[in-house]
Amino acid sequence: IERSFTALSRDISTSGICLQHTRATNAKQLIIVLSVPGTKPAKLIVEVVRCRAIGRFYEIAAKFTSRVAEKCEVGTGDPSTP
């Protein structure tokens, strides 16, 4: 299990998302939290389909697979928060 991290979304569609981060990931799945001002954050499970170096960053491409159950606690991206 990897620690939570904050990444930038580069591209998003109805089927998936592309993230940019300073480190690669070996994870096969991630739980992501999408926040839009004025709405409740959406917690989604994604399947990582590609992780490759792009210059100084890593592109993590993933497809949406399901939502996280409401009662499941998910980290905030803050390393000091479990």
Side-chain angles (χ1 to χ4, degrees):
I1 298 175
E2 292 187 28
R3 294 183 60 104
S4 61
F5 61 87
T6 301
L8 297 174
S9 58
R10 192 183 126 242
D11 190 16
I12 189 167
S13 70
T14 57
S15 61
I17 190 166
C18 186
L19 305 170
Q20 283 189 323
H21 190 51
T22 55
R23 295 186 206 156
T25 183
N26 292 323
K28 303 241 185 282
Q29 291 185 322
L30 299 170
I31 296 175
I32 64 170
V33 179
L34 294 178
S35 300
V36 176
T39 66
K40 188 174 180 180
K43 298 170 188 166
L44 307 164
I45 298 173
V46 298
E47 179 184 330
V48 176
V49 295
R50 179 179 66 246
C51 182
R52 65 180 177 179
I54 304 288
R56 298 182 346 204
F57 299 97
Y58 289 87
E59 176 184 83
I60 304 166
K63 65 179 181 177
F64 299 123
T65 59
S66 61
R67 292 188 86 117
V68 174
E70 286 294 319
K71 294 183 180 184
C72 181
E73 290 294 319
V74 176
T76 62
D78 180 350
S80 63
T81 304

